[in-house]
């Protein structure tokens, strides 16, 4: 029963995100208007893809990014590698169900966990820029020095927004706001509306996302909403929670469609969400069984006894294994977060240090699930194995950032 309750939020957000996606037309790639193919690739990997991922999750950011990347004339292995970069923002993907579950299992406030994760995500964005430039060169679109300088500034601005917004906004919406603001500025800079009609088209395209962000922010003004909390030691579900706001906006947008089309749209969203929902539920149930049996605590004591002061540095490897095999932030956190939290307590670290390492693991980018999606989208005989052989900078950057996060404490 505890596992079922913990699964309500992630499953609800996944389902709501799919309904939102069904109700909103995909962005028009022609509106990106980048000055060069290299800039188009950058926008797809670091702005449009991450923004789409924060709204819907479910790997949709990679789907949109690869569509734009192929439209820019890049195919094969470089397209797959660049298309996976939006998943760096996965702790906020689909409004962050994985972060919510991870915080509950670690026993820390989700705002604090997300704020700590934001520093790691910002560092990853910067560290993977050289890999992105290398993959662009392999794809036939080398990035000139002046373009690299410009792109670095855009990444710095995005990273600063991701970190800074956690001090003033609810964590669920910080990824959406950071990537949305950066993307809007990038598009206005590259392709400003020339007349009233263009402004109107831009406003119509942005309306669903602006509405969602506005409702999410406005809901937090409700100070003491009623809440469901069947278990006193587990998080409540208040009426102003992100999952409630997402469903309200998704259903409102869906109502704009012709009445005869709505059942088919809902049925399509239900079909796409059925297997992921069952998988996430099973991961959460497994986590509760392991945690209630005391297994994470026992493993944490064993690791600490075996490695002494170096025990916390096993955290990034544990996070990497979980992220690689689970393929989702909810699944990885459900499987490994209790152990990471217990290991951090045994080592005397801050309560969010190892949970943030677990929550932000970029090894998810190389999971068989996501690489299979990328390989299928680009075609050309690309396989997950080929992506892994060229995607090693992701694993290296992940280990560097995680180890540094532990060392800094």
């Amino acid at each position: 029963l505890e596992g079922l309750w913990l699964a309500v939020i992630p499953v609800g957000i996944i389902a709501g995100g799919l309904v939102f996606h069904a109700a909103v037309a995909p962005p028009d790639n022609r509106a990106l208007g980048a000055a060069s193919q290299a800039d188009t690739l950058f926008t797809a990997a670091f702005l449009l893809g991450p923004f789409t991922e924060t709204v819907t999750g479910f790997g949709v950011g990679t789907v949109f990014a690869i569509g734009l990347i192929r439209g820019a004339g890049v195919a094969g292995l470089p397209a797959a590698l660049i298309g996976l970069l939006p998943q760096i923002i996965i702790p906020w993907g689909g409004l962050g169900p994985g972060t919510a579950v991870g915080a509950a299992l670690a026993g820390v406030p989700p705002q604090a966990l997300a704020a700590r994760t934001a520093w790691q995500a910002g560092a990853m964005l910067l560290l993977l820029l050289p890999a992105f430039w290398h993959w662009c060169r392999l794809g036939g679109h080398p990035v000139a020095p002046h373009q690299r300088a410009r792109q670095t500034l855009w990444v710095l601005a995005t990273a600063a927004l991701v970190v800074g917004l956690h001090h003033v906004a609810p964590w669920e919406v910080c990824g959406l706001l950071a990537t949305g603001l950066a993307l809007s500025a990038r598009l206005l800079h590259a392709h400003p509306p020339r007349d009233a009609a263009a402004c109107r088209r831009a406003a119509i395209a942005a309306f669903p996302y602006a509405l969602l962000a506005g409702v999410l922010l406005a809901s937090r003004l409700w100070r003491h909403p009623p809440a469901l909390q069947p278990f006193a030691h587990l998080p409540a579900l208040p009426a102003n929670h992100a999952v409630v706001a997402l469903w309200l906006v998704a259903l409102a947008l869906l109502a704009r469609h012709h009445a005869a089309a709505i059942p088919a749209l809902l049925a399509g969203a239900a079909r796409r969400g059925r297997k992921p929902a069952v998988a996430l539920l099973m991961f959460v149930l497994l986590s509760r069984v392991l945690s209630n049996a005391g297994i994470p605590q026992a493993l944490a004591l064993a690791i600490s006894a075996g490695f002494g002061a170096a025990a916390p540095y096993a955290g990034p490897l544990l996070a990497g294994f979980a992220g690689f095999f689970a393929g989702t932030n909810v699944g990885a956190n459900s499987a490994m977060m209790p152990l990471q939290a217990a290991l951090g307590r045994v080592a005397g670290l801050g309560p969010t240090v190892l949970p943030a390492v677990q929550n932000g693991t970029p090894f998810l980018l190389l999971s068989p699930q996501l690489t299979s999606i990328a390989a299928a989208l680009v075609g050309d005989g690309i396989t997950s194995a080929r992506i892994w052989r060229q995607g090693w900078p992701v694993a290296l950057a992940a280990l560097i950032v995680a180890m540094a996060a532990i060392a800094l404490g």
Side-chain angles (χ1 to χ4, degrees):
L1 291 176
E2 291 176 355
L4 287 170
W5 175 246
L6 284 175
V8 165
I9 290 175
V11 171
I13 287 180
I14 286 175
L18 289 171
V19 173
F20 180 93
H21 181 244
V24 177
D28 184 359
N29 292 345
R30 295 172 300 175
L32 295 178
S36 70
Q37 300 295 66
D39 285 335
T40 300
L41 298 176
F42 173 80
T43 302
F46 289 92
L47 297 175
L48 175 64
F51 171 70
T52 309
E53 185 68 25
T54 61
V55 178
T56 59
F58 203 42
V60 173
T62 288
V63 175
F64 277 127
I66 288 179
L68 182 59
I69 291 164
R70 289 179 63 83
V74 177
L77 187 58
L81 290 164
I82 295 171
L84 287 169
L85 290 176
Q87 299 305 312
I88 295 172
I89 209 73
I90 203 166
W92 298 269
L95 302 181
T99 299
V101 169
L105 294 175
V108 298
Q111 189 79 25
L113 177 60
R116 174 89 185 194
T117 306
W119 284 97
Q120 297 171 195
M124 280 296 301
L125 288 170
L126 287 169
L127 284 179
L128 286 179
L129 261 178
F132 164 74
W133 294 328
H134 174 64
W135 295 332
C136 286
R137 184 177 60 79
L138 291 180
H141 296 290
V143 184
H146 70 278
Q147 292 175 310
R148 295 187 181 194
R150 225 175 23 240
Q151 291 173 1
T152 301
L153 291 176
W154 281 110
V155 167
L156 283 171
T158 304
L161 284 169
V162 171
V163 172
L165 283 168
H166 284 84
H167 296 287
V168 297
W171 69 269
E172 299 100 329
V173 77
C174 287
L176 168 66
L177 289 177
T179 55
L181 290 171
L183 176 63
S184 299
R186 174 74 184 86
L187 297 184
L188 289 173
H189 177 265
H191 191 63
R194 300 298 183 185
D195 51 34
C199 290
R200 187 164 54 252
R201 287 194 299 270
I204 291 172
F207 171 74
Y209 307 99
L211 176 63
L212 177 60
V215 172
L216 286 167
L217 290 172
S219 67
R220 293 312 176 91
L221 299 176
W222 193 359
R223 290 296 183 184
H224 302 289
L228 293 174
Q229 190 172 18
F231 302 98
H233 61 290
L234 294 180
L237 177 60
N240 67 343
H241 194 278
V243 68
V244 179
L246 175 61
W247 268 100
L248 288 175
V249 173
L251 292 175
L253 294 172
L254 195 65
R256 301 185 305 172
H257 290 260
H258 192 278
I262 292 177
L265 292 173
L266 287 172
R271 283 194 303 271
R272 291 192 298 273
R274 185 177 65 254
K275 289 183 179 179
V278 173
L280 295 182
L281 172 61
M282 297 308 296
F283 271 119
V284 175
L285 289 174
L286 172 64
S287 173
R288 295 314 296 167
V289 171
L290 295 177
S291 182
N292 290 343
I295 293 174
Q297 296 83 349
L299 288 174
L301 290 172
I303 293 172
S304 181
F307 295 97
Y313 292 95
L317 297 176
L318 296 171
F321 289 135
F324 180 82
F325 287 108
T328 70
N329 205 32
V330 173
N333 284 352
S334 298
M336 198 62 70
M337 186 63 81
L339 173 55
Q340 297 278 23
L343 184 59
R345 286 191 292 269
V346 170
L349 296 176
T352 61
V353 175
L354 284 185
V357 168
Q358 171 62 46
N359 187 49
T361 175
F363 278 82
L364 283 163
L365 276 69
L366 300 177
S367 68
Q369 296 90 326
L370 286 175
T371 54
S372 295
I373 290 173
L377 289 171
V378 300
D380 302 325
I382 300 302
T383 63
S384 292
R386 293 183 63 186
I387 295 174
W388 294 332
R389 284 196 291 270
Q390 289 290 328
W392 61 264
V394 173
L396 178 61
L399 288 175
I400 291 173
V401 170
M403 295 293 185
I406 295 170
L408 292 172

